Amino acid sequence: MGEIAFRDLAIGDAGWLIGQHGLHYAQAEGFDASFEALVARILAEFIDHRDPAVERGWIAWDGEQRLGSVFCVKGPEADTAKLRLFYLVPEARGRGLGRHLLDLCIAHARVKGFARLCLWTHESHRAACALYARAGFTCVTSRPVTSFGVDLVEQEWVLDLGV
């Protein structure tokens, strides 16, 4: 990896993210097309209704290659931010880039005055869950579900930002 740049969401990034999420999770976990549709809805909502004063999306680039993403958006309560669309292409994993993206999101939520940062994921995303735990997040709910055409264990994680 060369020098990594972290850019705001730009033209073409949403389509790339939708495709990457859809293909990766279909191949890795057997997710059906409803997952790709969920990612598309999340991105459409961000693009159409983003509050630029507090919400941010980062795309990690190595030269002309996109490597990953993370988003910080308003959460379910006014004092809570939500981490969304945390993703790394497989060849970029294991190099500290995920931790850097996570740190960007946490720092942004703190600077914007949020008291908590929450996220939703699945137990099967073990590497990401390990990153969350090392960053101080706590898994507050865990329940079996059938989503995206497969049986999963859905989790919610929360980080107290001390703000």
Side-chain angles (χ1 to χ4, degrees):
M1 252 188 320
E3 186 165 330
I4 306 301
F6 300 93
R7 302 179 191 157
D8 201 359
L9 186 73
I11 301 297
D13 292 336
W16 176 80
L17 274 172
I18 294 164
Q20 287 294 306
H21 275 84
L23 288 171
H24 174 76
Y25 288 105
Q27 293 167 353
E29 299 194 40
F31 286 13
D32 64 21
S34 65
F35 182 70
E36 191 170 13
L38 172 65
V39 173
R41 284 191 302 277
I42 291 167
L43 281 160
E45 176 72 19
F46 183 82
I47 291 166
D48 288 344
H49 303 289
R50 174 185 186 181
D51 179 349
V54 295
E55 296 181 306
R56 178 78 198 270
W58 293 267
I59 305 297
W61 289 80
D62 184 3
E64 295 301 311
Q65 181 182 6
R66 292 176 185 97
L67 300 177
S69 66
V70 72
F71 287 66
C72 184
V73 300
K74 291 178 182 177
E77 291 91 32
D79 66 347
T80 304
K82 189 169 191 176
L83 183 148
R84 309 263 359 222
L85 302 171
F86 185 38
Y87 177 77
L88 288 176
V89 296
E91 58 272 18
R93 295 176 186 173
R95 301 178 185 178
L97 180 56
R99 179 60 203 222
H100 191 79
L101 284 165
L102 185 57
D103 288 346
L104 283 171
C105 187
I106 292 168
H108 180 81
R110 271 197 182 104
V111 165
K112 296 304 176 181
F114 290 103
R116 281 176 301 287
L117 180 61
C118 69
L119 65 94
W120 165 85
T121 191
H122 297 106
E123 181 182 72
S124 59
H125 303 164
R126 297 195 194 294
C129 290
L131 272 177
Y132 303 142
R134 282 195 300 275
F137 283 82
T138 301
C139 182
V140 295
T141 63
S142 184
R143 65 185 181 100
V145 297
T146 300
S147 293
F148 317 120
V150 295
D151 293 331
L152 299 163
V153 177
E154 187 176 272
Q155 297 180 330
E156 182 180 359
W157 293 71
V158 176
L159 174 65
D160 180 356
L161 296 171
V163 175

